[in-house]
Amino acid sequence: MSGPHLTVVPEETAGAEVYNLTRGPETTAQRLQRLQQEARQLAREEVEALERDLLALGERAQQIAHGGEAYAVGLREMASRLSSELPQKAQSLRAILERTARD
C-alpha cells in the first residue's frame, strides 16, 4: 500500500499576508480604511516615481544643454531652461508629499 502523494510547495517570495484567526472578520469601516491607506500609498509611490523621472530628465536636459555644436542653439537653450526647471518641479513634488504625509 502506498502512502499519500506528496509534492513540494514552492516557497513564497512575495511576502504573503498572515491573517490572524483570533480576530473577527474585517468590518466595512475597517476595509474602507485599509483600502484608503493602500490607495494613498500607491499614489505616493507614483508621485515618487514621477519625481525620479523629472530628476533624470533634468540631467538629460543638462547634457544636451552642454552638448555643444551637435545640438541646435534653440535646442540647447530649451534644454538649459528645462535642466533648471525640472529639478525645481521635483523638489516641489517632494515638499508637497512631505507636507501631506504629516496631515
Side-chain angles (χ1 to χ4, degrees), residues 61 64-81:
I64 291 172
H66 296 103
E69 299 297 320
Y71 299 100
V73 173
L75 290 174
R76 291 193 313 257
E77 288 175 8
M78 183 181 287
S80 178
R81 285 193 303 272

Side-chain angles (χ1 to χ4, degrees), residues 5-6 11 13 29 32 36 38 44 48 53 56 62-63 72 74 93 96 101:
H5 180 68
L6 301 176
E11 193 174 309
T13 58
L32 278 170
Q36 288 171 342
E38 287 177 19
R44 181 179 182 85
E48 288 171 346
D53 292 345
Q62 187 174 29
Q63 292 171 0
L93 286 175
I96 293 169

Side-chain angles (χ1 to χ4, degrees), residues 15-101:
E17 182 179 341
V18 176
Y19 186 78
N20 183 353
L21 294 175
T22 60
R23 76 173 183 213
E26 189 176 46
T27 66
T28 302
Q30 290 170 330
R31 184 173 181 217
L32 278 170
Q33 186 177 18
R34 179 180 54 81
L35 292 172
Q36 288 171 342
Q37 184 179 10
E38 287 177 19
R40 283 190 295 273
Q41 181 61 35
L42 287 172
R44 181 179 182 85
E45 290 170 7
E46 284 295 309
V47 173
E48 288 171 346
L50 177 59
E51 177 191 15
R52 286 189 302 273
D53 292 345
L54 288 175
L55 291 172
L57 287 172
E59 290 174 13
R60 183 176 293 174
Q62 187 174 29
Q63 292 171 0
I64 291 172
H66 296 103
E69 299 297 320
Y71 299 100
V73 173
L75 290 174
R76 291 193 313 257
E77 288 175 8
M78 183 181 287
S80 178
R81 285 193 303 272
L82 286 172
S83 71
S84 65
E85 292 172 5
L86 291 176
Q88 291 174 355
K89 301 295 183 189
Q91 188 176 21
S92 296
L93 286 175
R94 172 58 57 183
I96 293 169
L97 266 181
E98 296 304 321
R99 189 173 5 153
T100 56

